[in-house]
Amino acid sequence: MSWIFHSRKGDKQLSTSELLFGVNLTVKKIGEDIVIEGRARTLNDIIRLKRLSEEILNEMIKEYEGKRSSSTTSRHR
């Protein structure tokens, strides 16, 4: 069990890095609610975030419209 107390050989200081692409987008379904959280750092990242969120929202709208049209079709039969 002495190996537990040894320091890790793989621990090294991280080299300095530059953030090149800083977009974070989270879409959650909590109950019946859709929660969208986004984070961007630069203008280009904001534009990417906008494009990504629009694509996701458009897909979600299509799904809801598909569910709505299938439920109204079944009512009219």
Side-chain angles (χ1 to χ4, degrees):
M1 290 243 281
S2 62
W3 57 270
I4 293 175
F5 301 107
H6 290 264
S7 63
R8 292 186 211 155
K9 293 179 182 177
D11 286 351
K12 296 180 181 178
Q13 284 187 338
L14 297 175
S15 62
T16 305
S17 62
E18 180 181 349
L19 183 64
L20 298 177
F21 184 72
V23 173
N24 182 2
L25 178 64
T26 305
V27 180
K28 300 176 191 176
K29 185 170 185 178
I30 302 173
E32 293 184 15
D33 295 333
I34 303 297
V35 178
I36 300 172
E37 299 172 351
R39 184 179 298 171
R41 188 163 278 209
T42 65
L43 177 59
N44 286 335
D45 292 343
I46 293 169
I47 294 168
R48 287 185 190 108
L49 180 62
K50 179 182 178 234
R51 186 177 66 241
L52 288 169
S53 59
E54 284 178 341
E55 289 175 13
I56 290 171
L57 288 172
N58 286 336
E59 287 298 316
M60 294 175 76
I61 289 169
K62 287 178 188 176
E63 287 180 26
Y64 276 97
E65 287 175 341
K67 289 178 184 177
R68 187 185 320 165
S69 65
S70 65
S71 66
T72 57
T73 307
S74 62
R75 284 188 214 159
H76 294 293
R77 289 182 181 185

